[in-house]
Amino acid sequence: VSLIGVQRLVELAIQKDLAWLEKDLRALSRYDALYSPLGDSAELQETSLEHLKRHLLPAEPWPVLTRAHFEAAVAEARRRLPGLAPQFMDRLGLILQLRQQVQQRIGAVAIPVLPHSRTFSSLSQLGSPAAIRVANPLADELAGLVSSRFLERIAYDRLTHLPRYLKGLLTRAERAALNPAKNRERLDRIAPYQDALKKLQAQPARSPEARRQIEAFRWMVEEFKVSLFAQELGTAMPVSPKRLDLQLEIIRNTA
């Protein structure tokens, strides 16, 4: 039985519950302003509902379709429903607030691009057409965590960790300015794993197990960043270059 088929069967069984969930999610409008740099209100409502449905519905196909499997899946979905909407909205609100703080902190810097023979007679020339605005390198990392439709790319249980990763970015931005040399040394340590992750994510779709292992590696990289740049925030798991190398080996050996 295909996973899509299994999910559809359970979804039909709890459609009244899902209708109430969708109604509860109208309260997401309180976050429209925070989400507006990423997308509109309709997008937030849609991706939030689909995100929560993935949390409620079976994540694995059944070997065979039996009444026992079906009833257990429906019962599990209904067990997860009470209080889900307010809990989700609290988590989302914190994430969006921190995203805004990081965005404001890293901003962008104006870099003059002019012939060497010219000099600035005043700071106002920084706003001239000859100056370009270069995004802070941390902007890419922020987008990797929270960008348009990010709820499609993250599991519900992982939402509790996002605030820690975002606080880690805030800490990095502050400390990089205070000690650029130490920041560079730490960047050099994380770079091989960030590069490996980008290559893995750019590859064509692989088996479900390979995708799971790549996803695990993705969050291990985030935890490693926290351990390097903001150790006081703590990590959700032991993480080290040795463990990251081992996970890469597991991915290479997964069909």
Side-chain angles (χ1 to χ4, degrees):
V1 184
S2 74
L3 179 58
I4 293 174
V6 163
Q7 290 175 333
R8 183 61 181 151
L9 283 172
V10 177
E11 183 176 353
L12 287 170
I14 63 168
Q15 57 185 344
K16 288 184 179 179
D17 304 276
L18 291 175
W20 281 108
L21 178 64
E22 186 171 9
K23 185 177 180 181
D24 290 342
L25 290 177
R26 292 175 190 169
L28 282 169
S29 59
R30 74 182 79 158
Y31 301 135
D32 285 353
L34 282 170
Y35 192 75
S36 61
L38 308 177
D40 60 22
S41 179
E43 177 183 293
L44 181 59
Q45 296 275 341
E46 173 212 340
T47 56
S48 294
L49 180 60
E50 291 303 313
H51 173 86
L52 292 179
K53 281 166 63 173
R54 288 201 314 275
H55 174 60
L56 293 167
L57 300 176
E60 301 286 345
W62 300 328
V64 291
L65 178 58
T66 66
R67 177 174 290 276
H69 280 135
F70 172 71
E71 290 178 349
V74 171
E76 177 60 19
R78 288 193 169 131
R79 185 189 68 79
R80 295 181 178 190
L81 271 162
L84 181 61
Q87 183 182 66
F88 166 73
M89 287 188 280
D90 286 347
R91 292 181 181 183
L92 180 65
L94 177 59
I95 289 165
L96 293 177
Q97 288 163 10
L98 284 167
R99 190 215 72 86
Q100 184 183 67
Q101 289 175 32
V102 176
Q103 186 63 63
Q104 291 170 344
R105 179 67 183 83
I106 64 178
V109 291
I111 304 295
V113 181
L114 296 169
H116 292 300
S117 58
R118 291 186 57 183
T119 59
F120 292 120
S121 59
S122 73
L123 289 175
S124 64
Q125 283 185 270
L126 282 171
S128 69
I132 62 170
R133 291 186 68 78
V134 178
N136 188 304
L138 290 180
D140 283 343
E141 295 198 35
L142 176 59
L145 291 171
V146 187
S147 57
S148 176
R149 309 186 75 88
F150 77 99
L151 289 169
E152 293 179 339
R153 303 183 293 275
I154 187 169
Y156 178 75
D157 293 337
R158 180 57 52 177
L159 290 183
T160 56
H161 298 283
L162 273 188
R164 192 161 41 85
Y165 303 150
L166 292 167
K167 288 174 185 176
L169 284 180
L170 276 173
T171 301
R172 286 174 64 183
E174 293 162 2
R175 291 178 179 170
L178 295 172
N179 195 333
K182 183 176 283 189
N183 183 65
R184 169 48 55 193
E185 184 270 329
R186 290 169 176 167
L187 286 174
D188 289 344
R189 291 180 65 188
I190 194 69
Y193 302 108
Q194 285 189 296
D195 291 344
L197 180 60
K198 286 179 183 177
K199 289 176 183 176
L200 288 168
Q201 291 175 330
Q203 291 174 357
R206 298 171 65 180
S207 70
E209 178 58 24
R211 290 197 296 271
R212 276 192 291 270
Q213 296 297 344
I214 293 169
E215 183 74 356
F217 181 69
R218 173 193 178 186
W219 299 119
M220 287 177 71
V221 170
E222 291 300 330
E223 296 291 346
F224 189 46
K225 291 177 194 174
V226 171
S227 74
L228 287 177
F229 295 97
Q231 194 172 22
E232 66 276 15
L233 294 175
T235 59
M237 65 183 81
V239 64
S240 64
K242 183 177 179 180
R243 290 176 186 269
L244 288 163
D245 290 338
L246 179 60
Q247 183 63 20
L248 281 174
E249 190 62 29
I250 291 171
I251 292 169
R252 292 188 191 102
N253 294 330
T254 303

